[in-house]
Amino acid sequence: MKKPVRLLIAAGLVILALVIFWKRRQAAKVEDVPALRTAKVERKDLRRTVSGSGVLEPLTTVEVKANVAGEITQLLVDTGDEVRTGQLIAVIDPTDTESAFREASADMQSSRAKVDEARVNQTFRSTTVPLQIGVAQQELAAALAREDQAKKNLDIQRKTSQADIHQAEEALASAKARLVSTQRSAEAQPSLTTSSIQQAEANLQSAQEDLRELKEATHPRARTQAEASYSQTKSSLVKARLDLKRQKELYAKGFVPQSSVDNAQVSVDTAQSSADSAKAMLDAITASHNAQARSSESRVSQLKSALQSAKTNAVQNDLADQEVISARASVRQAEASLASATANAEQVRIREAEVVSARASVEQTRKNIQLAQANRFETQVRGHQVREAQAQTVRSQAQLDRAAKNLADTSIYAPRDGVIIEKFVEQGTVITSGKSSVTSGTTLVTMADITRMFVLADVDEVDIGGVKPGQKVDLTVESFPEENFSGSVTKVYPKGVDEQNVTVFQVKIWLDNVDTRLRPGMTAESVIVMEEKPKVVVVPNSAIQVQRGQQTVMVVKNGQPERRRVETGLATLDETEILSGLREGEEIVTERPEGQRPGGKGPGGTSGRGPNQDVTRMMRTMGR
């Protein structure tokens, strides 16, 4: 029994010794293999970026100038002050602009008064012109009536004068015949006494008949016509004087021109002339009638005396001589009557003058009508004057508005929100206008809108190929190095700039949310994200190798490295996206010993291109 136990113990010790020996040999082999540097396959966000530097610029920079020149009496801001839109910045001495404003206001009031005056004149002319035309037409009708009456009076006067001359001639012939008869009677007085008495009676009856006809027919008709004409001319004179008075009153008030007063004066003169002519005609008719009446009455008286004498002295021979004397007196009387009738022919010329005067009055009234009708054009002129006055009002209003604006421009307000970054003037400075055609005006302050800011970053020409508008940007400033600010590319300038033999391109980057601590002029470093992929499988660039044109990665499996083909995507300077071939968490070789064969077979293996070469190739492929 003891021998088998001892054999079992001995066999166990041998086996134990063999196991220990084997383990030591395995440990020795492991110590002989060089150590591999490995890493875990990760899933993370991957970004491809380029960098650039620049300075912060404000959205806008505004030079605040004044629209009027003058002395600054108040300057209410200083460099670094924040201002709001409409905030008062400065005040300019308003003395000159206030004077100009008051002058423009006075001109405006004057222009409005002229418009009112022109409208009143237009209304007055449009009202009075039809009245003037109506009055002139009535005066024309009256003048035509006077002309017609004057023509009739002329015709009557001509006929009357001819009848008087004819009657006088007949009376003279009769007187001469009587003289002859009386002379014959004187020669044969006894036989002719009876015939003389009869002749005297006949003559007396004839003379009485002539006297009656003169008193009852001829004179009353002519005198009535003359009085009617005189009364009519006096009425026209009174009317003309009243019109002259009214025109003078209107002219004194400025409602009518001087020509209206002159025309009214001409009407008065014409009416006065017509009245004088009518009065002269009436007086002439009265004088002529009186003369004829005295002559006829004298003749009647004489014939009565002759008859009485013939009857009383029928028996006396010397009566024949008296008859002769009387007959001769009758002849002289008839001659005087003929001379008077001939002299009365002058009334015809007076009547002719009246006709001429009446025609002149007609022509004058017609001209008055033409003048009144022409005044219609004056109404149009008044309308043009109204429009001209209104145009002047528009010009005055424009001047007033300009003066008001200049007065308002003496107070200078902030055109927008911002910060005063520069101040160029002080209180008491005399500045020029920003609207001057000679100078560009004096800048009071420069203000910037820092609510939005941008960076003009300089990007190397090697990196500019992948930069596009819309790409995200991470920014840092030297004043706050531990803080990141975000933005985006808005513009890539097409022309490069040579700076110290290095060509760079400017990229405009807008900040998304401007921190109030940021100031224009701060230096900013920009990291432009050209491409970004979230939560992708990535490996270090050093883990990727190229074997016969294929990308591979050494994966550690069961403690041994194993080559595996992979498909890559986005690559950066340090890491590369793995599209297929690897899983998150797998262990990969990031660096292997020199001379070790791929697949863990030791030195002499074909490793192809190293990882640094692969990274360089990928960078060149990406445009670096």
Side-chain angles (χ1 to χ4, degrees), residues 41 537-541 543-547 549-555 562-569 576-583 586 588 614 618:
V41 177
V537 176
V538 297
V539 298
N541 289 340
I544 300 175
Q545 301 178 14
V546 179
Q547 288 283 346
Q550 294 182 347
Q551 294 176 324
T552 62
V553 174
M554 300 297 293
V555 180
E562 178 182 288
R563 185 176 301 281
R564 186 183 299 175
R565 287 181 56 189
V566 295
E567 182 182 356
T568 62
T576 301
E577 175 191 11
I578 301 300
L579 300 177
S580 62
L582 292 177
R583 294 189 303 274
E586 288 186 309
I588 59 173
D614 295 338
M618 286 187 288

Side-chain angles (χ1 to χ4, degrees), residues 124-125 127-139 243 246-247 250 255-257 259-261 263 365 368-369 371-376 378:
F124 174 77
R125 295 307 301 171
T127 303
T128 56
V129 166
L131 295 177
Q132 290 177 349
I133 294 175
V135 171
Q137 289 174 343
Q138 292 176 358
E139 290 178 350
D243 184 60
R246 183 174 66 256
Q247 293 297 327
L250 293 175
F255 291 153
V256 297
S259 60
S260 298
V261 178
N263 292 336
T365 52
N368 290 341
I369 291 177
L371 179 61
Q373 292 174 341
N375 286 338
R376 291 177 177 174
E378 186 177 355

Side-chain angles (χ1 to χ4, degrees), residues 16-35:
L16 178 62
L18 289 174
V19 171
I20 295 171
F21 176 77
W22 182 80
K23 287 185 177 281
R24 287 181 178 178
R25 289 291 304 268
Q26 292 295 328
K29 290 181 179 179
V30 172
E31 290 176 359
D32 291 339
V33 177

Side-chain angles (χ1 to χ4, degrees), residues 69-117:
E71 179 184 354
I72 295 179
T73 58
Q74 297 182 52
L75 186 62
L76 306 176
V77 296
D78 201 353
T79 304
D81 290 350
E82 291 188 8
V83 295
R84 298 294 181 185
T85 302
Q87 180 177 336
L88 184 62
I89 294 178
V91 177
I92 300 174
D93 184 6
T95 303
D96 294 338
T97 51
E98 285 177 347
S99 299
F101 177 75
R102 288 193 295 270
E103 182 178 352
S105 297
D107 291 341
M108 183 62 190
Q109 293 176 358
S110 175
S111 298
R112 288 175 176 171
K114 289 180 180 179
V115 170
D116 295 338
E117 180 182 359

Side-chain angles (χ1 to χ4, degrees), residues 461-478:
E461 64 176 329
V462 176
D463 301 328
I464 198 66
V467 180
K468 298 177 182 179
Q471 293 174 340
K472 296 180 180 180
V473 183
D474 292 332
L475 301 103
T476 58
V477 296
E478 294 182 358

Side-chain angles (χ1 to χ4, degrees), residues 17 46 130 142 172 325 345 402 426 432 442 475 481 512 529 583 589 598:
L46 187 64
L172 178 59
I325 294 171
R402 185 161 50 251
E426 297 293 341
T432 59
T442 304
L475 301 103
D512 293 334
V529 180
R583 294 189 303 274
V589 177

